Amino acid sequence: MGCFYCDKDNQLYDLMTEICKLSVSTLYLFREQTYRGRCNVVYNKHIGSLHELDDAELGAFMLDVKKAAAAVAKAFSPDKINYGAYADKMQHFHMHVVPKYIDGPDWGSTFIMNPQKVYLSADEYTAMIQDIKNFL
């Protein structure tokens, strides 16, 4: 079974758009934007779980997650950011950075992986990516 993060195929780009490379990961913006500003931080090497990283790799990855979350917080002013590291179906280590808003979807509950409700125009995605980059 292939890995769309490694293959960088249409399946990946149908779900998200690359924002930029970070120190040991790549930051992507989800196309589905029910949670405005939702991103994914994807470790650059193909590993299945965080326990496979040595301490230095884990530290570098968590600094990438922190940097991404700080940029999202500054760009979109969410009330909280949720994090998720799920790997039931995708065996490539990554972490979801999910801004949540008090009056928004699923406040006080777990975010939905792909609610398929909110899609934007190409110009709106471009503007969001630039907003995030401005704070990285």
Side-chain angles (χ1 to χ4, degrees), residues 62-132:
M62 292 309 295
L63 286 173
D64 282 356
V65 172
K66 177 182 175 182
K67 185 176 184 179
V72 166
K74 290 175 186 170
F76 304 108
S77 301
D79 296 297
K80 181 69 175 156
I81 294 181
N82 288 183
Y83 303 89
Y86 306 106
D88 294 348
K89 295 181 181 178
M90 175 47 62
Q91 297 295 314
H92 187 121
F93 184 56
H94 61 284
M95 187 166 293
H96 298 265
V97 175
V98 185
K100 299 281 285 294
Y101 304 88
I102 288 173
D103 294 325
D106 305 307
W107 178 257
S109 184
T110 306
F111 65 90
I112 297 170
M113 190 59 64
N114 191 5
Q116 298 183 359
K117 294 179 183 175
V118 178
Y119 292 90
L120 308 174
S121 70
D123 289 343
E124 289 171 307
Y125 291 120
T126 299
M128 289 182 82
I129 288 169
Q130 190 56 56
D131 288 344
I132 293 167

Side-chain angles (χ1 to χ4, degrees), residues 11-104:
Q11 186 180 4
L12 172 64
Y13 295 115
D14 286 345
L15 292 174
M16 55 195 84
T17 300
E18 185 174 322
I19 296 172
C20 66
K21 302 286 188 205
L22 299 171
S23 69
V24 296
S25 62
T26 303
L27 180 60
Y28 293 92
L29 179 70
F30 271 83
R31 290 194 182 278
E32 203 294 322
Q33 283 291 302
T34 293
Y35 311 100
R36 184 161 178 75
R38 181 177 178 189
C39 293
N40 208 5
V41 182
V42 179
Y43 194 67
N44 286 335
K45 295 178 189 171
H46 186 86
I47 63 161
S49 185
L50 126 143
H51 71 271
E52 297 174 43
L53 298 171
D54 65 31
D55 290 349
E57 292 167 327
L58 177 60
F61 179 77
M62 292 309 295
L63 286 173
D64 282 356
V65 172
K66 177 182 175 182
K67 185 176 184 179
V72 166
K74 290 175 186 170
F76 304 108
S77 301
D79 296 297
K80 181 69 175 156
I81 294 181
N82 288 183
Y83 303 89
Y86 306 106
D88 294 348
K89 295 181 181 178
M90 175 47 62
Q91 297 295 314
H92 187 121
F93 184 56
H94 61 284
M95 187 166 293
H96 298 265
V97 175
V98 185
K100 299 281 285 294
Y101 304 88
I102 288 173
D103 294 325

